[in-house]
Amino acid sequence: MASVPIIPDSYNHVLAEFECLDPLLSALRLDSSRLKCTCIAVSKRWLALGSSGGGLNLIQKDGWKQRLFLAHKEGAISRVACCLHDEDYVAVATSQGLVVVWELNQERRGKPERIYVSSEHKGRKVTALCWDTAALRVFVGDHVGKVSAIKINTSKQGKAAATFVMFPVQIITTVDSRVVQLDYLDGRLLISSLTRTYLCDTEREKFWKIGNKERDGEFGACFFPVGKNSGNQQPLIYCARPGSRMWEVNFDGEVQSTHQFKQLLSSQPLPVVTLRLDPHYTSSSCSPQSLSFPKLLYLAEHCVMTWTERGIYIFLPQSVQVLLWSEVKDIQDVAVYKSELFCLHTNGKVVHLSLLLVDRCIERLIRRGFWTLAARVCCLFQNSIISCRARKNLPLDKLEHLKSQLDASTQQDLITQMEELISKLEPLDSACSSRRSSISSHESFSILDSGIYRVISRRGSQSDEDSCSLHSQTFSEDERLKEFPAHQEDEQVELDNVSHASVTVEADRNETFLPFSIPLSFRSPSPLVSLQAVKESVSSFVRKTTEKIGTLHISPDTRGRQEAKDEEPLQELTVSLVASPQEEKELEPQSCQLPEEDHLRDLNAATAEAIAKLQDPLVLLEPQCMRRVLQEWLIYLEEKFGSKEHSASSIKKSKTVCVEEERAVLEENARLDPTDGDPSDKEQSSILKDCSEKENTDDTCVSKNMCENSTDLKGPLDSCFQVSPPCVIEPDVQKDLVELTTLCFELRVFSCGNGEAEESSDASLPLAASWTLACRFMRSYFFLLDLKRLKQCIITMYATSPNVWETYIAGLKELTCHSPVTLAMENEDMLKILKQLHDLGPWDDSPLLLVHAQRLYEKFGETALRPLIKFHPSILPSDIKQLCRNDPAHFLAYLDSLVKSKPEDKRSSLLRSLLQPESVRLDWLCLAVSHDAPQRANTVDAEGNPRPRSHLFTWGYSQLILLLIKLPADFVTKEKMADICKAHGFWPGYLFLCLELDRRIEAFTNIAHLDDLSLLNGEDGSIPETIEEWKFLLCLAQNHSTTFHHHGPQNGKAVSNGSPSCPDCITVENIALLLAKAIGPNRALPLLQECGLTLELSERFTGVCEILRIAEKRQRALIQSMLERCDRFLWSQQA
């Protein structure tokens, strides 16, 4: 018998379908092709189903018996919401944008009646409905972002009030995009749009934006109510974020932390227990899921559920756990009430699911007589059934009874599996079971001075059932906030396999809190897991303590290497440029030299003073004043983190290294450019001489501590990068340091290496010396630079100094030398590496993605660039242009692929957004017309005129060229683009620009040279508009006819003037026919006689003109007849 995969014991819950609602839909006739269920809502009493025919069906959940039908003539039902605190009210939104509120009058046994109809959103699509939790008020959101509130006055308040008092619709707000979800709790309205989430205090009329980072797409948000026993604790808010993330927000709209579920969703889905098919489970792991949660719904027992096109996901957000996820395809909407889920599918079907414990599910299946399904669920979840908690509901006799109900002839395999399960069970009163119960109750710990754990038995603890309940697996908000001293948003570090939050232990009042947290709940159903966690935690604590003590006795060089090795995995994953609290904890062992307060006191004071000075408008608006302030501050930074370290020996070593580097660079520059008369060379020689003197004053020459992966460093000067702080820095201080250091780089205020600051923006400083100082500045203070601003500064200010870009890339390589992507780059193929990069996302403009792209390009060449378009806008074309600056054709292929990856109607807007700055338009145009293009000799003749039919040549990047020239631009830029097109012979673009620049005569001249009548069409304005233009074009056709059609070389076939075989050539007769069609034959003939061209016209022209006269005459007669009929009809109506 083949072994059946067993679901791990960490899964105790399951989704089950006990009732099929297909007969109900059939009875309501909602299963036909004409009528279809369009929306769904649920309350304690009602299941509301809206239909495409405008009807609302209200079914009583108790027995599915009583039914109300509410008809609407305003269109199909798009949204429905039941009032949970008074189930006598239902709100309905129709396809026309009307919102109807019904009072059902069930208490008085009357007929349902409309009590309010709102047309505030008429003509718009209502996307969200939400009831107030206390008052009779409905909140409405539509697809343009408008949110309104409808206050209801009911007949329960008296007939007079209901008749004469109608509250107007209150406009709450209008957000920037479509409303995705609305939720309300305790006077606060939560609005989730396509870009961000808003919190509104409807009583005080105050609004807050939640978080700083926007998003793009459908992401939900919901309130998370607190329990009855939580005291004064306020509710929480959970907001969906890209990449399977959630923000945890307090009731004031402040983001407390970001929870990452991507790695937790790498497990296989749990089966849905249903009679439709047998449950199956695969034990193999799957890849992490990076999902977007379109809506978040609060479920009973501290759960939040959501769904995608793939399945249903239920989370325990407070403990950052995935309760379960199951594959349920094609879900359109979900309505929940407590632990019940009603799923509306895209085909109109409705499925009723229940979330419950596995043992409860099996017990209910047994009670209903579904023996086979109950046995299969037992075999799949046998790990959960063996636990004591499940054994109370499923004792041995009940399992034996279940086995006896199976058919021995057809279900022998299932019976065998049940026997194996029963054999693993023990009576509840056995010694082994009592030991297991006692071990599982050990939840209190203390640590002795020796570091040994002492386990404290809790005899008076709560019952086993309560300790294993879903509610006890969560922890209080107060305890959780103790582990998050700093606010964390999307910028915090995201570890692959470790959650952002740690599960804390709910201890007794007299219990001592542990100095560190063990990321495993002690209330696990399996006691062996708890003991194993204690063992691993003790081992880890002893190992870390030993390592920390060892760092106090090792040499500084060895310590630096060890610290770099320990930091590198964390550094690779760091997206934020300011260290997060988790990073600071990792960096604590490094700060063994001096206390942070004493070591950085002078620097902190100088930083605060510099920040204060830079806030002065007189300084802020004067670059020279800003540079002076930064120069004064940079001296303090140099003393603490620059070449002068914490000892005299380190100062000597750092000076020697800097002198060696500067000398090596200047010698190389002098060798590459040996011009004697250049004043910059003389200055370089003097600098070199100074460097030599400095070198002679030092006793020894010792190099800096090199990083392990220094072979990746391909910058102008091979040296070590300071990619991490040498000591612990407070987040607020580091934020100010990053701002000032980055500002120094942007204003070219660099350190000259001798404790003084130097301004390299002066024109007298050579270019080579400028980029040398910039490179050295980056290596010294890489950990204090804003990598995003640094990249943009290098692209704009150091475009002619490739060494600066190479140094920047080298620093990023050093930062990510031990990342999984870098390690996989050696052995894996390109597709696997790209998939790994995609799984690590979203990158959110992280420069770390850029260095991975650089490595891919270095290994696989041009083939690695095209797949990078899916990482846009994290990687921009300007980044790719820097990567392949030595081969512009590769950049051009990437840009073309990126533009073509978008729909045609969005390509122009995309390309326009990429043209930053605007000057790159001309650069890209020159690249596009010079690569994969025909030879210039084939498109331009010796006189610079177009060769006939040369506009029909194929250009590899013609679509990209036309998009570039058709984008809006100033007059001068358009003229430059026209000159570029003409110089390279791209005539379609040149003609378009001539017409746009109102150089029509020039356009007609080139059309005559190209000899293609199809270019004279009215779509792009190239048809002559005045009589003078027609005369000029006829003259061109007469002058060039002989040259083009008898003597000149042809790209097409040779033809003669007036021949029927040349209908698309520029001839006098063809132009004359075009003139006759445009202005009529009666006006065309006098103009041709005036130009003396009637002798060159053939009988074909005369026949076409006659046909045109007849057609024109008939058209006039038809118009006259229609006007007479209209006139008679109007007079008859008047009579």
Side-chain angles (χ1 to χ4, degrees), residues 899-1049:
V899 173
K900 290 181 178 178
S901 66
K902 302 295 181 183
E904 290 188 7
D905 57 336
K906 296 182 179 179
R907 292 177 182 176
S908 296
S909 59
L910 170 66
L911 193 58
R912 188 172 185 179
S913 66
L914 300 178
L915 294 175
Q916 300 294 336
E918 185 70 22
S919 58
V920 302
R921 183 201 301 252
L922 298 178
D923 299 335
W924 292 2
L925 181 62
C926 290
L927 285 176
V929 297
S930 58
H931 288 81
D932 198 6
Q935 296 291 330
R936 188 177 186 277
N938 295 330
T939 58
V940 183
D941 60 15
E943 299 177 356
N945 296 321
R947 291 191 180 275
R949 305 298 176 110
S950 59
H951 64 291
L952 300 178
F953 280 112
T954 301
W955 294 69
Y957 300 103
S958 58
Q959 294 185 23
L960 180 61
I961 299 172
L962 291 174
L963 285 173
L964 284 171
I965 64 177
K966 289 181 180 180
L967 287 177
D970 57 87
F971 187 82
V972 176
T973 303
K974 290 285 185 180
E975 284 188 329
K976 292 180 180 179
M977 289 193 294
D979 295 339
I980 293 173
C981 291
K982 183 176 182 180
H984 291 83
F986 185 72
W987 303 117
Y990 179 67
L991 294 177
F992 174 84
L993 290 169
C994 284
L995 294 172
E996 197 172 31
L997 294 171
D998 203 22
R999 291 152 54 171
R1000 301 180 62 82
I1001 299 300
E1002 190 174 350
F1004 293 143
T1005 304
N1006 285 275
I1007 289 175
H1009 284 289
L1010 291 171
D1011 193 24
D1012 190 352
L1013 191 67
S1014 63
L1015 295 175
L1016 294 170
N1017 59 75
E1019 296 180 0
D1020 54 6
S1022 57
I1023 193 77
E1025 297 176 350
T1026 63
I1027 297 299
E1028 287 73 16
E1029 289 182 356
W1030 280 110
K1031 289 181 179 179
F1032 178 76
L1033 189 58
L1034 288 169
C1035 183
L1036 283 176
Q1038 184 181 22
N1039 294 338
H1040 296 283
S1041 178
T1042 304
T1043 304
F1044 283 174
H1045 304 297
H1046 296 287
H1047 305 290

Side-chain angles (χ1 to χ4, degrees), residues 865 868-869 875-877 880 890-898:
L865 293 180
L868 293 178
I869 61 176
I875 294 183
L876 297 173
I880 300 297
H890 294 175
F891 161 73
L892 205 57
Y894 166 83
L895 181 62
D896 189 60
S897 300
L898 177 62

Side-chain angles (χ1 to χ4, degrees), residues 286-415:
C286 58
S287 60
Q289 301 183 58
S290 182
L291 305 175
S292 300
F293 304 140
K295 285 185 181 179
L296 297 181
L297 301 177
Y298 175 75
L299 210 56
E301 298 201 40
H302 303 278
C303 298
V304 170
M305 72 84 55
T306 185
W307 71 90
T308 65
E309 67 279 356
R310 184 177 179 185
I312 294 176
Y313 304 83
I314 301 178
F315 304 102
L316 296 172
Q318 285 185 299
S319 56
V320 197
Q321 297 177 14
V322 178
L323 185 67
L324 63 86
W325 83 274
S326 299
E327 280 191 339
V328 183
K329 300 293 184 64
D330 302 325
I331 296 179
Q332 176 181 330
D333 198 4
V334 176
V336 300
Y337 180 77
K338 292 188 175 180
S339 59
E340 291 182 299
L341 291 80
F342 291 85
C343 305
L344 173 62
H345 292 260
T346 54
N347 58 3
K349 299 294 182 182
V350 179
V351 177
H352 179 202
L353 300 177
S354 299
L355 173 67
L356 67 170
L357 289 164
V358 174
D359 54 337
R360 297 290 187 187
C361 174
I362 298 172
E363 185 184 18
R364 193 176 297 185
L365 291 173
I366 294 175
R367 200 163 54 238
R368 293 173 181 245
F370 301 142
W371 311 109
T372 303
L373 183 57
R376 293 189 184 278
V377 175
C378 282
C379 296
L380 282 176
F381 289 90
Q382 57 182 272
N383 287 330
S384 298
I385 295 173
I386 294 174
S387 66
C388 298
R389 169 67 178 84
R391 296 272 303 284
K392 293 183 179 181
N393 294 322
L394 293 175
L396 275 175
D397 55 350
K398 189 172 290 189
L399 294 177
E400 290 283 0
H401 176 68
L402 173 59
K403 186 191 74 170
S404 65
Q405 298 298 322
L406 301 177
D407 189 349
S409 60
T410 59
Q411 298 176 323
Q412 187 59 45
D413 289 347
L414 195 55
I415 293 174

Side-chain angles (χ1 to χ4, degrees), residues 286-288 829-841 870-871:
C286 58
S287 60
D829 57 13
M830 185 176 67
L831 295 179
K832 291 184 179 179
I833 297 172
L834 290 170
K835 184 178 183 301
Q836 190 174 8
L837 283 175
H838 183 269
D839 294 339
L840 290 174
K870 65 181 181 180
F871 294 103

